[in-house]
Every structure is written in C-alpha cells, then in structure tokens.
Amino acid sequence: MARTFDPFRDLDRWFSDVARTPASAAMAMDLYKAGDSFVARLDLPGVDPASIDVDVDERTLTIRAERKSDAVEGEQRWLVRERPAGTFARQLTLGYGVALDKIAADYRDGVLTLTIPVAEEAKPRKITVAHTGTATQIEGSVDEG
C-alpha cells in the first residue's frame, strides 16, 4: 500500500514531537469523572511528597514536583538513563463549574490523586413547576344530529 505525502500531517507530527517535554512525560495523567467530582491521577514515582506543590490561580491548577537524581558513589559511566530528574510542572485549565475551594490532593504509592468536585450551582437539578388556579370545567350542549 502506497503512502501519500501529506506535508501538513508530517509537519504536525514533527511539531508535536518537538513540543513534547520531559515534564509531561514525567507526569503521566489520567483524568475522569466519578459521580460529582473530576479525578486526576498523576504518576510521580520517586518524588518526595514534601516537594509536591499544588496551587490554583484564577482557573489554572498547577502541579509541581521534584525528583532528585540518584547519587551514585565512585566513578560511573551511564549506559542507559531514562528516568528524568529535576523539577516538573503540569497545568490544567479548570472550567467555571468546579468548586475551587474544595479541591483535595492525596499522594500514595507514587500517585498523586486530585479530587475536583463539581460546584453545587453547576449540578443539574429538578425545577418544580408550581400550579396556580383552579380546575375549570367546560360546559356545553351536545348536538345530536
């Protein structure tokens, strides 16, 4: 099967490869909705929990963490080094329907879990329809013809 040349697709692929940063690779994330909350789970293995910083400014949630490189005694010659070290950051833009003051964070077994609840005013609700007035009976004659 011959592959057609598409310069835009190839250029887009190249830009996405260039734009891929070690920070996003070091902070793989799953995001899903569970009930009335959004849950983000970020992989942060080998990170000291004291180095994790989560803050919200306006509608931007920023997660920062630091992974220190392993100290190796004596002379060393790296053969493979794929575990990134340093400070990593990831930002999420939050919508207006979340409760910013109720965001919770938990770090366990190398996974940071953020629970972002939906704001009460953004939850769907049932509107009761009030009924006023009385029932009206229509009277008339029956034409038998």
Side-chain angles (χ1 to χ4, degrees), residues 94-140:
L94 303 175
Y96 286 94
V98 297
L100 299 176
D101 58 335
K102 293 188 168 62
I103 296 173
D106 178 56
Y107 182 72
R108 184 177 307 137
D109 297 330
V111 178
L112 175 66
T113 301
L114 300 173
T115 304
I116 308 164
V118 173
E120 285 298 319
E121 60 270 10
K123 292 180 183 176
R125 57 193 165 278
K126 186 77 170 163
I127 307 296
T128 304
V129 178
H131 181 264
T132 58
T134 59
T136 306
Q137 183 174 359
I138 301 175
E139 295 184 20

Side-chain angles (χ1 to χ4, degrees), residues 59-116:
R59 296 272 156 209
T60 303
L61 176 87
T62 304
I63 304 114
R64 284 186 191 83
E66 182 180 5
R67 182 181 303 123
K68 297 187 178 185
S69 100
D70 296 332
V72 179
E73 301 279 330
E75 193 175 313
Q76 63 189 7
R77 192 180 100 214
W78 290 102
L79 302 176
V80 176
R81 189 166 189 178
E82 297 177 343
R83 298 174 57 230
T87 302
F88 306 98
R90 182 131 188 196
Q91 292 185 319
L92 303 172
T93 302
L94 303 175
Y96 286 94
V98 297
L100 299 176
D101 58 335
K102 293 188 168 62
I103 296 173
D106 178 56
Y107 182 72
R108 184 177 307 137
D109 297 330
V111 178
L112 175 66
T113 301
L114 300 173
T115 304
I116 308 164

Side-chain angles (χ1 to χ4, degrees), residues 13-25:
R13 184 181 304 135
W14 183 81
F15 275 119
S16 67
D17 287 345
V18 168
R20 190 171 296 130
T21 63
S24 63

Side-chain angles (χ1 to χ4, degrees), residues 1 3 8 10 24 50 52-53 56 64 76 94 118 143:
M1 172 188 274
R3 183 175 161 213
F8 296 107
D10 293 339
S24 63
I52 299 173
D53 180 43
V56 177
R64 284 186 191 83
Q76 63 189 7
L94 303 175
V118 173
D143 186 24

